[in-house]
Amino acid sequence: MSSEPIPLSKALASFDALWSPRIVTRVNDYDVRVAKVEGEHIWHAHDDTDEFFLVLEGEVRISLREPGGERTVLLPQGAVFTVPRGTEHKPSAPSGAAILMFEPTGTPTVGDRHDEIPQHVDSTTGHALTT
């Protein structure tokens, strides 16, 4: 953990991979992660934890499968949203975005339950594979 301030713009500039969160710091047993996102992620759920999103740049949509049906929330830059544990969700960013997430250390990006993972994504970490 750094004892100096961490510029999020510098952290985001250090990588190009999409849907591949990077840990910028830790708070107790939680990772603070930043990610560049564009297009659609996969439907997934985290059975044991909520998932917190803060949109740093751009706009993010999160589709949710809830008991009453599906809905999509729109998160403009500066907005926060928490997906409740166990809720299937699918983030997307048609025009690209940068996000910050707050999750327990070790939480897989693709959740505990998920749709088929595309071949360009590591099924263990959820990070994009480089070729």
Side-chain angles (χ1 to χ4, degrees), residues 1 25-33 49 102-107:
M1 183 165 27
T25 192
R26 289 193 167 89
V27 179
N28 299 316
D29 296 331
Y30 283 78
D31 293 336
V32 178
R33 304 173 182 183
T49 185
F102 190 74
E103 300 173 313
T105 297
T107 299

Side-chain angles (χ1 to χ4, degrees), residues 3-96:
S3 62
E4 298 296 322
I6 301 166
L8 293 179
S9 59
K10 186 176 179 181
L12 285 163
S14 71
F15 65 97
D16 291 320
L18 297 174
W19 302 106
S20 186
R22 301 300 198 265
I23 298 168
V24 293
T25 192
R26 289 193 167 89
V27 179
N28 299 316
D29 296 331
Y30 283 78
D31 293 336
V32 178
R33 304 173 182 183
V34 293
K36 293 177 181 178
V37 298
E38 186 172 352
E40 294 187 349
H41 197 32
I42 61 173
W43 281 102
H44 66 283
H46 302 276
D47 291 334
D48 299 319
T49 185
D50 300 333
E51 187 170 20
F52 171 87
F53 292 86
L54 164 62
V55 180
L56 301 170
E57 301 171 5
E59 183 177 271
V60 173
R61 297 175 182 153
I62 302 178
S63 296
L64 304 160
R65 290 179 175 155
E66 300 173 313
E70 284 188 21
R71 71 178 174 117
T72 300
V73 295
L74 179 62
L75 306 175
Q77 183 172 322
V80 299
F81 184 75
T82 301
V83 175
R85 73 185 72 216
T87 301
E88 285 186 279
H89 58 287
K90 179 180 182 178
S92 65
S95 300

